[in-house]
Amino acid sequence: MTTSTAESSAPSPAIPESPGDTEVLGAVRRRLHPDPTVRRLAGITLVNTVGNGLSLSVAVLFFTRVLGLSAAQLGLGMTAAGLCGVVASVPAGRAADRWGARRVLVTLVSVQAVGTAGYALVHSYPAFVALACLVSAVDRGSAAVRNALYAEVLPADRRVAGRAYLRVVTNVGICLGTALGAIALQVDTRPVYVAAILADAASFVVAALLFHRLSDLRRSSVVERSAGGGSAVDGSVADQASKTGVPKPSDPSGKGAKQGRRRNPALRDGPFLALTVLNAVLCLQFAVLEVGVPLWIVQQTDAPRITVAGTLVVNTLLVITLQMRATRGIDERTAAARACGRAGMVLAASCLVLSLAHGLPAVAAAVVVLGGVVLQSLGEVVGQAGGWALSYDLAGERDHGAYQGVFNAGTAAALMAGPALVSTLVIGYGTIGWVVLGAVLAAAGLAMRPVVRWAGRRDAGLAAV
Protein backbone atom coordinates (compact mmCIF):
# COMPACT_ATOMS: atom_id res chain seq x y z
CA MET A 1 0.00 0.00 0.00
CA THR A 2 1.33 3.43 -0.92
CA THR A 3 1.19 6.52 1.24
CA SER A 4 0.25 10.04 0.20
CA THR A 5 2.77 12.85 -0.09
CA ALA A 6 1.29 14.58 2.94
CA GLU A 7 1.51 11.44 5.02
CA SER A 8 5.06 10.66 3.96
CA SER A 9 6.24 14.19 4.65
CA ALA A 10 4.68 14.37 8.09
CA PRO A 11 7.29 14.39 10.82
CA SER A 12 7.68 11.11 12.63
CA PRO A 13 8.16 11.03 16.37
CA ALA A 14 11.83 11.23 17.27
CA ILE A 15 13.36 8.24 18.95
CA PRO A 16 15.73 9.47 21.62
CA GLU A 17 19.24 8.07 21.53
CA SER A 18 21.01 7.35 24.74
CA PRO A 19 24.45 8.92 25.25
CA GLY A 20 25.94 5.45 25.17
CA ASP A 21 24.42 4.70 21.76
CA THR A 22 25.70 8.01 20.39
CA GLU A 23 29.21 7.29 21.63
CA VAL A 24 29.20 3.82 20.10
CA LEU A 25 27.96 5.10 16.72
CA GLY A 26 30.53 7.87 16.78
CA ALA A 27 33.32 5.43 17.53
CA VAL A 28 32.21 3.17 14.67
CA ARG A 29 32.07 6.09 12.23
CA ARG A 30 35.56 7.20 13.23
CA ARG A 31 36.90 3.71 12.46
CA LEU A 32 35.35 3.64 8.97
CA HIS A 33 37.59 4.74 6.10
CA PRO A 34 36.47 7.96 4.37
CA ASP A 35 37.06 6.49 0.89
CA PRO A 36 34.02 4.42 -0.23
CA THR A 37 36.27 2.24 -2.38
CA VAL A 38 38.40 1.26 0.60
CA ARG A 39 35.26 0.69 2.68
CA ARG A 40 33.93 -1.80 0.13
CA LEU A 41 37.27 -3.57 -0.06
CA ALA A 42 37.38 -3.63 3.74
CA GLY A 43 33.99 -5.33 3.88
CA ILE A 44 35.18 -8.05 1.53
CA THR A 45 38.38 -8.43 3.51
CA LEU A 46 36.54 -8.74 6.82
CA VAL A 47 34.22 -11.47 5.54
CA ASN A 48 37.08 -13.47 4.07
CA THR A 49 39.50 -13.12 6.98
CA VAL A 50 36.94 -14.14 9.59
CA GLY A 51 36.61 -17.37 7.65
CA ASN A 52 40.38 -17.67 7.36
CA GLY A 53 40.89 -17.16 11.08
CA LEU A 54 38.30 -19.81 11.86
CA SER A 55 39.90 -22.29 9.47
CA LEU A 56 43.49 -21.59 10.56
CA SER A 57 42.66 -22.16 14.21
CA VAL A 58 41.34 -25.68 13.56
CA ALA A 59 43.39 -26.68 10.50
CA VAL A 60 46.12 -28.69 12.23
CA LEU A 61 43.69 -30.73 14.30
CA PHE A 62 41.39 -31.19 11.32
CA PHE A 63 44.20 -32.55 9.16
CA THR A 64 45.71 -34.77 11.85
CA ARG A 65 42.65 -35.98 13.76
CA VAL A 66 39.91 -35.92 11.14
CA LEU A 67 41.92 -36.76 8.01
CA GLY A 68 44.37 -38.92 9.98
CA LEU A 69 47.61 -37.37 8.67
CA SER A 70 50.84 -37.70 10.61
CA ALA A 71 52.88 -34.63 11.49
CA ALA A 72 55.50 -35.61 8.89
CA GLN A 73 52.86 -36.05 6.19
CA LEU A 74 51.29 -32.71 7.02
CA GLY A 75 54.65 -30.92 6.96
CA LEU A 76 55.66 -32.43 3.61
CA GLY A 77 52.29 -31.66 2.07
CA MET A 78 52.31 -28.05 3.23
CA THR A 79 55.87 -27.58 1.96
CA ALA A 80 54.81 -28.79 -1.49
CA ALA A 81 51.78 -26.51 -1.30
CA GLY A 82 53.98 -23.54 -0.38
CA LEU A 83 56.19 -24.15 -3.41
CA CYS A 84 53.11 -24.18 -5.65
CA GLY A 85 52.09 -20.85 -4.14
CA VAL A 86 55.45 -19.31 -5.03
CA VAL A 87 55.24 -20.54 -8.61
CA ALA A 88 51.62 -19.44 -9.11
CA SER A 89 52.07 -15.76 -8.24
CA VAL A 90 53.80 -14.71 -11.45
CA PRO A 91 51.39 -16.26 -14.00
CA ALA A 92 48.42 -15.08 -11.93
CA GLY A 93 49.71 -11.51 -12.15
CA ARG A 94 50.18 -11.78 -15.91
CA ALA A 95 46.66 -13.16 -16.24
CA ALA A 96 45.37 -10.09 -14.42
CA ASP A 97 47.07 -7.84 -16.99
CA ARG A 98 45.61 -9.81 -19.87
CA TRP A 99 42.04 -10.41 -18.72
CA GLY A 100 41.57 -7.81 -15.97
CA ALA A 101 42.33 -8.09 -12.27
CA ARG A 102 38.71 -8.25 -11.13
CA ARG A 103 37.75 -11.04 -13.50
CA VAL A 104 40.81 -13.14 -12.64
CA LEU A 105 40.34 -12.52 -8.92
CA VAL A 106 36.72 -13.67 -9.00
CA THR A 107 37.83 -16.86 -10.75
CA LEU A 108 40.67 -17.59 -8.31
CA VAL A 109 38.60 -16.91 -5.20
CA SER A 110 35.83 -19.14 -6.55
CA VAL A 111 38.31 -21.96 -7.13
CA GLN A 112 39.61 -21.42 -3.62
CA ALA A 113 36.09 -21.83 -2.27
CA VAL A 114 35.69 -25.15 -4.06
CA GLY A 115 39.16 -26.33 -3.04
CA THR A 116 38.67 -25.43 0.62
CA ALA A 117 35.32 -27.25 0.72
CA GLY A 118 37.01 -30.22 -0.93
CA TYR A 119 39.07 -30.87 2.20
CA ALA A 120 35.92 -32.30 3.77
CA LEU A 121 35.86 -34.99 1.07
CA VAL A 122 39.53 -36.01 1.14
CA HIS A 123 40.21 -39.61 2.16
CA SER A 124 43.77 -40.24 0.92
CA TYR A 125 47.16 -38.61 1.31
CA PRO A 126 47.81 -38.05 -2.44
CA ALA A 127 44.42 -36.34 -2.72
CA PHE A 128 45.28 -34.12 0.24
CA VAL A 129 48.62 -33.07 -1.29
CA ALA A 130 47.03 -32.33 -4.66
CA LEU A 131 44.25 -30.31 -3.08
CA ALA A 132 46.65 -28.45 -0.77
CA CYS A 133 48.79 -27.50 -3.78
CA LEU A 134 45.73 -26.23 -5.65
CA VAL A 135 44.48 -24.19 -2.69
CA SER A 136 47.91 -22.70 -2.02
CA ALA A 137 48.41 -21.82 -5.69
CA VAL A 138 45.11 -19.96 -5.99
CA ASP A 139 45.63 -18.35 -2.57
CA ARG A 140 49.00 -16.83 -3.46
CA GLY A 141 47.83 -16.05 -6.98
CA SER A 142 44.78 -14.22 -5.67
CA ALA A 143 47.00 -12.25 -3.26
CA ALA A 144 49.05 -10.97 -6.21
CA VAL A 145 45.93 -10.13 -8.21
CA ARG A 146 44.35 -8.34 -5.24
CA ASN A 147 47.39 -6.07 -5.01
CA ALA A 148 47.06 -5.33 -8.73
CA LEU A 149 43.36 -4.60 -8.24
CA TYR A 150 44.19 -2.10 -5.48
CA ALA A 151 46.46 -0.31 -7.95
CA GLU A 152 43.59 -0.13 -10.44
CA VAL A 153 40.83 1.14 -8.16
CA LEU A 154 42.85 3.37 -5.79
CA PRO A 155 44.69 6.57 -6.79
CA ALA A 156 48.47 6.31 -6.57
CA ASP A 157 48.68 8.65 -3.58
CA ARG A 158 46.19 6.55 -1.58
CA ARG A 159 47.28 2.99 -2.32
CA VAL A 160 49.68 2.49 0.58
CA ALA A 161 47.30 4.01 3.14
CA GLY A 162 44.47 1.93 1.68
CA ARG A 163 46.49 -1.27 1.98
CA ALA A 164 47.42 -0.36 5.54
CA TYR A 165 43.73 0.03 6.42
CA LEU A 166 42.95 -3.33 4.82
CA ARG A 167 45.76 -4.95 6.79
CA VAL A 168 44.23 -3.63 9.99
CA VAL A 169 40.89 -5.09 8.93
CA THR A 170 42.66 -8.37 8.14
CA ASN A 171 44.00 -8.59 11.67
CA VAL A 172 40.61 -7.79 13.14
CA GLY A 173 38.95 -10.43 10.98
CA ILE A 174 41.47 -13.11 11.86
CA CYS A 175 41.05 -12.31 15.55
CA LEU A 176 37.29 -12.71 15.27
CA GLY A 177 37.68 -15.94 13.31
CA THR A 178 40.19 -17.29 15.81
CA ALA A 179 37.73 -16.60 18.63
CA LEU A 180 35.14 -18.67 16.78
CA GLY A 181 37.77 -21.31 16.21
CA ALA A 182 38.44 -21.49 19.94
CA ILE A 183 34.83 -22.55 20.41
CA ALA A 184 35.26 -25.27 17.78
CA LEU A 185 38.44 -26.48 19.49
CA GLN A 186 36.64 -26.66 22.82
CA VAL A 187 33.79 -28.76 21.33
CA ASP A 188 36.42 -30.94 19.60
CA THR A 189 34.23 -33.09 17.34
CA ARG A 190 34.52 -34.06 13.70
CA PRO A 191 31.27 -32.34 12.61
CA VAL A 192 32.38 -29.07 14.19
CA TYR A 193 35.80 -29.19 12.49
CA VAL A 194 34.16 -29.92 9.13
CA ALA A 195 31.68 -27.08 9.71
CA ALA A 196 34.59 -24.69 10.36
CA ILE A 197 36.27 -25.67 7.08
CA LEU A 198 33.00 -25.29 5.17
CA ALA A 199 32.41 -21.89 6.79
CA ASP A 200 35.77 -20.76 5.44
CA ALA A 201 34.75 -22.02 1.99
CA ALA A 202 31.52 -20.06 2.29
CA SER A 203 33.48 -16.90 3.07
CA PHE A 204 35.31 -17.31 -0.24
CA VAL A 205 31.97 -17.64 -2.05
CA VAL A 206 30.75 -14.38 -0.51
CA ALA A 207 34.07 -12.68 -1.32
CA ALA A 208 33.88 -13.81 -4.96
CA LEU A 209 30.37 -12.38 -5.29
CA LEU A 210 31.43 -9.08 -3.74
CA PHE A 211 34.52 -8.83 -5.97
CA HIS A 212 32.26 -9.46 -8.96
CA ARG A 213 30.18 -6.43 -7.95
CA LEU A 214 33.28 -4.19 -8.01
CA SER A 215 32.82 -3.58 -11.76
CA ASP A 216 30.67 -0.50 -11.10
CA LEU A 217 33.28 0.70 -8.58
CA ARG A 218 36.02 0.54 -11.23
CA ARG A 219 33.94 2.52 -13.69
CA SER A 220 33.09 5.22 -11.15
CA SER A 221 36.73 5.42 -10.04
CA VAL A 222 37.92 5.96 -13.61
CA VAL A 223 35.23 8.60 -14.26
CA GLU A 224 36.19 10.51 -11.11
CA ARG A 225 39.87 10.54 -12.06
CA SER A 226 39.08 11.65 -15.62
CA ALA A 227 36.83 14.46 -14.33
CA GLY A 228 39.36 15.60 -11.75
CA GLY A 229 42.44 15.66 -13.99
CA GLY A 230 43.19 17.95 -16.91
CA SER A 231 42.23 16.61 -20.29
CA ALA A 232 45.47 17.81 -21.84
CA VAL A 233 47.48 15.75 -19.41
CA ASP A 234 45.29 12.73 -19.99
CA GLY A 235 45.67 13.12 -23.70
CA SER A 236 49.46 13.23 -23.53
CA VAL A 237 49.51 10.19 -21.29
CA ALA A 238 47.22 8.37 -23.69
CA ASP A 239 49.51 9.16 -26.62
CA GLN A 240 52.54 8.01 -24.67
CA ALA A 241 50.77 4.84 -23.57
CA SER A 242 50.22 3.77 -27.15
CA LYS A 243 53.97 3.98 -27.75
CA THR A 244 55.43 2.77 -24.47
CA GLY A 245 52.85 0.34 -23.17
CA VAL A 246 52.10 2.39 -20.06
CA PRO A 247 48.35 2.07 -19.35
CA LYS A 248 46.06 5.05 -19.85
CA PRO A 249 44.05 6.46 -16.92
CA SER A 250 40.90 5.30 -18.73
CA ASP A 251 42.36 1.84 -19.15
CA PRO A 252 43.55 1.05 -15.60
CA SER A 253 44.53 -2.52 -16.34
CA GLY A 254 46.47 -1.42 -19.39
CA LYS A 255 45.09 -4.24 -21.50
CA GLY A 256 44.75 -2.09 -24.58
CA ALA A 257 48.35 -0.90 -24.37
CA LYS A 258 49.84 -4.27 -23.70
CA GLN A 259 48.24 -6.44 -26.35
CA GLY A 260 50.83 -8.51 -28.11
CA ARG A 261 53.37 -8.25 -25.28
CA ARG A 262 54.60 -11.70 -24.31
CA ARG A 263 57.56 -11.27 -22.01
CA ASN A 264 57.07 -10.35 -18.37
CA PRO A 265 58.52 -6.83 -17.93
CA ALA A 266 58.94 -7.25 -14.17
CA LEU A 267 61.35 -10.16 -14.70
CA ARG A 268 63.58 -7.86 -16.79
CA ASP A 269 63.50 -4.95 -14.32
CA GLY A 270 66.70 -5.13 -12.28
CA PRO A 271 65.82 -2.61 -9.55
CA PHE A 272 62.39 -4.16 -9.05
CA LEU A 273 63.84 -7.68 -8.78
CA ALA A 274 66.34 -6.41 -6.20
CA LEU A 275 63.48 -4.81 -4.26
CA THR A 276 61.57 -8.11 -4.38
CA VAL A 277 64.51 -10.07 -2.95
CA LEU A 278 65.23 -7.54 -0.19
CA ASN A 279 61.56 -7.36 0.79
CA ALA A 280 61.45 -11.17 0.91
CA VAL A 281 64.34 -11.09 3.38
CA LEU A 282 62.50 -8.56 5.54
CA CYS A 283 59.44 -10.84 5.42
CA LEU A 284 61.41 -13.40 7.44
CA GLN A 285 60.10 -11.35 10.37
CA PHE A 286 56.82 -13.28 10.12
CA ALA A 287 58.61 -16.58 10.67
CA VAL A 288 60.37 -14.99 13.65
CA LEU A 289 57.04 -14.27 15.33
CA GLU A 290 55.19 -17.42 14.29
CA VAL A 291 57.98 -19.99 14.65
CA GLY A 292 61.20 -18.56 16.09
CA VAL A 293 59.76 -16.85 19.16
CA PRO A 294 57.51 -19.77 20.25
CA LEU A 295 60.36 -22.27 19.88
CA TRP A 296 62.75 -19.95 21.70
CA ILE A 297 60.29 -19.48 24.58
CA VAL A 298 59.55 -23.18 25.01
CA GLN A 299 62.99 -24.68 24.40
CA GLN A 300 65.56 -22.04 25.36
CA THR A 301 64.02 -19.84 28.08
CA ASP A 302 62.29 -20.24 31.44
CA ALA A 303 59.43 -17.93 30.44
CA PRO A 304 55.94 -19.36 31.10
CA ARG A 305 54.45 -21.05 28.04
CA ILE A 306 51.50 -18.69 28.13
CA THR A 307 53.98 -16.06 26.94
CA VAL A 308 53.59 -17.56 23.45
CA ALA A 309 49.96 -16.45 23.37
CA GLY A 310 50.96 -13.10 24.84
CA THR A 311 53.37 -12.42 21.98
CA LEU A 312 50.62 -12.97 19.41
CA VAL A 313 48.23 -10.68 21.29
CA VAL A 314 50.85 -7.93 21.60
CA ASN A 315 51.74 -8.15 17.91
CA THR A 316 48.13 -8.12 16.75
CA LEU A 317 47.18 -5.13 18.91
CA LEU A 318 50.20 -3.11 17.79
CA VAL A 319 49.59 -3.85 14.11
CA ILE A 320 45.93 -2.81 14.43
CA THR A 321 46.93 0.36 16.30
CA LEU A 322 50.00 1.46 14.34
CA GLN A 323 49.77 0.21 10.76
CA MET A 324 47.87 3.24 9.44
CA ARG A 325 50.20 5.66 11.19
CA ALA A 326 53.23 3.90 9.74
CA THR A 327 52.18 4.88 6.20
CA ARG A 328 52.33 8.62 6.81
CA GLY A 329 54.95 10.46 4.81
CA ILE A 330 56.30 7.50 2.80
CA ASP A 331 54.51 7.91 -0.53
CA GLU A 332 57.73 9.17 -2.09
CA ARG A 333 60.25 6.41 -2.88
CA THR A 334 63.22 7.87 -0.99
CA ALA A 335 61.13 8.18 2.17
CA ALA A 336 59.86 4.62 1.69
CA ALA A 337 63.43 3.35 1.36
CA ARG A 338 64.41 5.14 4.57
CA ALA A 339 61.42 3.54 6.28
CA CYS A 340 62.64 0.09 5.19
CA GLY A 341 66.08 0.92 6.56
CA ARG A 342 64.61 1.90 9.92
CA ALA A 343 62.52 -1.26 9.91
CA GLY A 344 65.57 -3.42 9.31
CA MET A 345 67.43 -1.80 12.21
CA VAL A 346 64.46 -2.16 14.58
CA LEU A 347 64.02 -5.82 13.57
CA ALA A 348 67.72 -6.39 14.25
CA ALA A 349 67.33 -4.80 17.69
CA SER A 350 64.35 -7.08 18.29
CA CYS A 351 66.49 -10.15 17.57
CA LEU A 352 69.16 -8.98 20.00
CA VAL A 353 66.61 -8.34 22.75
CA LEU A 354 65.00 -11.75 22.24
CA SER A 355 68.39 -13.43 22.53
CA LEU A 356 68.85 -11.91 26.00
CA ALA A 357 65.93 -13.94 27.42
CA HIS A 358 68.06 -17.09 27.58
CA GLY A 359 69.12 -17.87 31.14
CA LEU A 360 66.92 -15.26 32.86
CA PRO A 361 64.35 -16.07 35.58
CA ALA A 362 60.86 -16.83 34.34
CA VAL A 363 59.27 -13.40 34.85
CA ALA A 364 62.28 -11.50 33.57
CA ALA A 365 62.49 -13.76 30.52
CA ALA A 366 58.81 -13.15 29.74
CA VAL A 367 59.26 -9.39 30.02
CA VAL A 368 62.31 -9.43 27.76
CA VAL A 369 60.54 -11.60 25.16
CA LEU A 370 57.51 -9.32 25.11
CA GLY A 371 59.81 -6.31 24.77
CA GLY A 372 61.47 -7.98 21.78
CA VAL A 373 58.07 -8.64 20.22
CA VAL A 374 57.11 -4.97 20.66
CA LEU A 375 60.21 -4.01 18.67
CA GLN A 376 59.46 -6.71 16.11
CA SER A 377 55.94 -5.35 15.67
CA LEU A 378 57.20 -1.79 15.20
CA GLY A 379 59.65 -2.98 12.56
CA GLU A 380 56.89 -4.99 10.90
CA VAL A 381 54.42 -2.14 10.40
CA VAL A 382 57.09 0.27 9.13
CA GLY A 383 58.72 -2.31 6.86
CA GLN A 384 55.42 -3.42 5.36
CA ALA A 385 54.40 0.17 4.61
CA GLY A 386 57.76 0.92 2.98
CA GLY A 387 57.68 -2.27 0.92
CA TRP A 388 54.16 -1.58 -0.37
CA ALA A 389 55.11 1.96 -1.38
CA LEU A 390 58.20 0.81 -3.25
CA SER A 391 56.40 -2.07 -4.97
CA TYR A 392 54.02 0.42 -6.57
CA ASP A 393 56.46 3.30 -7.07
CA LEU A 394 59.26 1.33 -8.74
CA ALA A 395 56.75 -0.39 -11.01
CA GLY A 396 54.98 2.83 -11.95
CA GLU A 397 51.69 2.67 -13.83
CA ARG A 398 52.85 -0.35 -15.82
CA ASP A 399 51.55 -3.90 -15.86
CA HIS A 400 50.30 -3.92 -12.28
CA GLY A 401 49.56 -7.64 -12.42
CA ALA A 402 53.01 -8.60 -13.67
CA TYR A 403 54.85 -6.48 -11.11
CA GLN A 404 52.68 -7.43 -8.17
CA GLY A 405 52.88 -11.09 -9.21
CA VAL A 406 56.68 -11.03 -9.04
CA PHE A 407 56.68 -9.05 -5.80
CA ASN A 408 54.20 -11.45 -4.21
CA ALA A 409 56.25 -14.44 -5.36
CA GLY A 410 59.15 -13.12 -3.27
CA THR A 411 56.90 -12.78 -0.25
CA ALA A 412 55.51 -16.28 -0.78
CA ALA A 413 59.04 -17.69 -1.00
CA ALA A 414 59.91 -16.06 2.33
CA LEU A 415 56.77 -17.45 3.96
CA MET A 416 57.63 -20.92 2.67
CA ALA A 417 61.35 -21.00 3.53
CA GLY A 418 61.21 -18.75 6.60
CA PRO A 419 60.08 -21.28 9.24
CA ALA A 420 62.86 -23.76 8.46
CA LEU A 421 65.52 -21.04 8.17
CA VAL A 422 64.55 -19.19 11.35
CA SER A 423 64.11 -22.34 13.45
CA THR A 424 67.53 -23.62 12.32
CA LEU A 425 69.25 -20.38 13.26
CA VAL A 426 67.41 -19.83 16.54
CA ILE A 427 67.40 -23.36 17.93
CA GLY A 428 70.57 -24.58 16.26
CA TYR A 429 72.82 -21.66 17.13
CA GLY A 430 71.07 -19.77 19.94
CA THR A 431 72.36 -16.28 20.61
CA ILE A 432 74.73 -16.35 17.64
CA GLY A 433 71.82 -17.33 15.42
CA TRP A 434 69.77 -14.36 16.64
CA VAL A 435 72.71 -12.02 15.95
CA VAL A 436 73.17 -13.37 12.43
CA LEU A 437 69.45 -13.12 11.71
CA GLY A 438 69.36 -9.55 12.99
CA ALA A 439 72.34 -8.59 10.83
CA VAL A 440 70.65 -10.06 7.74
CA LEU A 441 67.43 -8.12 8.42
CA ALA A 442 69.31 -4.87 9.01
CA ALA A 443 71.35 -5.30 5.82
CA ALA A 444 68.21 -5.96 3.77
CA GLY A 445 66.51 -2.83 5.07
CA LEU A 446 69.53 -0.57 4.57
CA ALA A 447 70.10 -1.90 1.03
CA MET A 448 66.77 -0.44 -0.10
CA ARG A 449 68.26 3.03 -0.55
CA PRO A 450 70.90 1.92 -3.11
CA VAL A 451 68.14 0.05 -4.97
CA VAL A 452 66.04 3.23 -5.10
CA ARG A 453 69.02 5.18 -6.45
CA TRP A 454 69.49 2.45 -9.07
CA ALA A 455 65.83 2.79 -10.05
CA GLY A 456 66.29 6.57 -10.32
CA ARG A 457 69.20 6.15 -12.74
CA ARG A 458 67.12 3.69 -14.75
CA ASP A 459 64.21 6.09 -14.98
CA ALA A 460 66.47 8.97 -15.95
CA GLY A 461 67.97 6.84 -18.70
CA LEU A 462 64.55 5.89 -20.04
CA ALA A 463 63.45 9.53 -19.98
CA ALA A 464 66.53 10.54 -22.00
CA VAL A 465 65.80 8.00 -24.73
Side-chain angles (χ1 to χ4, degrees):
M1 184 179 74
T2 59
T3 58
S4 66
T5 304
E7 290 173 338
S8 61
S9 61
S12 59
I15 300 176
E17 293 184 353
S18 67
D21 292 339
T22 304
E23 292 177 3
V24 171
L25 290 174
V28 171
R29 292 191 185 100
R30 286 193 296 272
R31 299 296 189 276
L32 293 177
H33 200 279
D35 189 331
T37 302
V38 178
R39 288 202 301 271
R40 290 183 64 176
L41 293 171
I44 301 173
T45 300
L46 184 62
V47 169
N48 201 190
T49 53
V50 169
N52 290 346
L54 173 60
S55 178
L56 287 172
S57 61
V58 304
V60 172
L61 290 181
F62 174 79
F63 291 137
T64 55
R65 298 183 60 177
V66 175
L67 300 186
L69 303 179
S70 67
Q73 287 177 320
L74 179 59
L76 181 61
M78 298 313 294
T79 299
L83 181 60
C84 291
V86 174
V87 174
S89 295
V90 175
R94 290 297 278 164
D97 287 333
R98 182 171 182 179
W99 291 296
R102 183 186 60 85
R103 183 181 302 175
V104 173
L105 186 57
V106 169
T107 301
L108 291 175
V109 174
S110 299
V111 173
Q112 196 166 4
V114 175
T116 302
Y119 280 128
L121 304 176
V122 167
H123 296 291
S124 69
Y125 184 62
F128 161 75
V129 174
L131 191 58
C133 288
L134 172 65
V135 171
S136 179
V138 294
D139 175 66
R140 299 318 307 167
S142 63
V145 177
R146 273 197 307 272
N147 294 340
L149 179 69
Y150 299 156
E152 291 184 8
V153 301
L154 296 176
D157 61 346
R158 281 183 263 167
R159 288 172 190 159
V160 176
R163 283 192 65 174
Y165 185 84
L166 295 176
R167 187 161 189 256
V168 171
V169 174
T170 295
N171 278 271
V172 172
I174 290 178
C175 285
L176 294 174
T178 302
L180 295 175
I183 299 174
L185 292 173
Q186 184 64 32
V187 177
D188 193 29
T189 63
R190 185 183 190 281
V192 170
Y193 289 142
V194 172
I197 297 299
L198 294 179
D200 188 24
S203 76
F204 286 115
V205 174
V206 175
L209 292 173
L210 294 175
F211 276 125
H212 178 71
R213 295 180 60 187
L214 283 179
S215 56
D216 60 324
L217 182 150
R218 285 186 61 192
R219 287 195 295 270
S220 63
S221 176
V222 171
V223 169
E224 288 174 4
R225 293 182 212 176
S226 299
S231 58
V233 175
D234 290 348
S236 64
V237 173
D239 293 338
Q240 188 179 16
S242 63
K243 300 176 183 178
T244 65
V246 178
K248 300 179 293 182
S250 59
D251 183 19
S253 66
K255 290 183 290 182
K258 295 190 289 290
Q259 287 181 353
R261 178 181 292 179
R262 296 180 180 179
R263 299 180 64 185
N264 190 325
L267 295 176
R268 294 177 286 125
D269 190 327
F272 192 84
L273 291 177
L275 162 69
T276 299
V277 172
L278 294 176
N279 183 75
V281 174
L282 286 177
C283 283
L284 293 176
Q285 62 187 283
F286 298 114
V288 171
L289 179 68
E290 297 169 5
V291 178
V293 171
L295 288 177
W296 183 247
I297 290 172
V298 173
Q299 298 188 21
Q300 300 294 326
T301 77
D302 293 323
R305 295 197 174 192
I306 196 174
T307 309
V308 174
T311 62
L312 297 176
V313 171
V314 168
N315 175 260
T316 301
L317 291 177
L318 287 176
V319 170
I320 292 173
T321 304
L322 301 177
Q323 187 64 80
M324 286 291 293
R325 299 180 185 180
T327 65
R328 295 174 184 170
I330 63 168
D331 289 329
E332 192 268 328
R333 64 173 59 172
T334 302
R338 287 198 298 267
C340 289
R342 291 195 299 271
M345 296 301 293
V346 174
L347 291 171
S350 169
C351 291
L352 294 178
V353 170
L354 289 168
S355 71
L356 299 177
H358 179 69
L360 294 178
V363 174
V367 171
V368 169
V369 167
L370 292 175
V373 169
V374 169
L375 290 174
Q376 195 271 347
S377 303
L378 295 175
E380 176 184 334
V381 295
V382 175
Q384 287 289 285
W388 297 333
L390 291 175
S391 73
Y392 288 125
D393 193 288
L394 267 62
E397 299 304 307
R398 304 171 293 171
D399 303 278
H400 289 303
Y403 277 87
Q404 291 302 317
V406 170
F407 189 75
N408 190 76
T411 303
L415 296 178
M416 180 189 69
L421 179 61
V422 170
S423 61
T424 298
L425 282 173
V426 169
I427 302 304
Y429 297 94
T431 300
I432 295 177
W434 280 116
V435 172
V436 171
L437 180 59
V440 170
L441 293 171
L446 294 174
M448 289 293 191
R449 296 185 71 177
V451 168
V452 164
R453 289 195 291 268
W454 181 12
R457 292 192 297 270
R458 174 205 63 187
D459 294 344
L462 291 175
V465 175

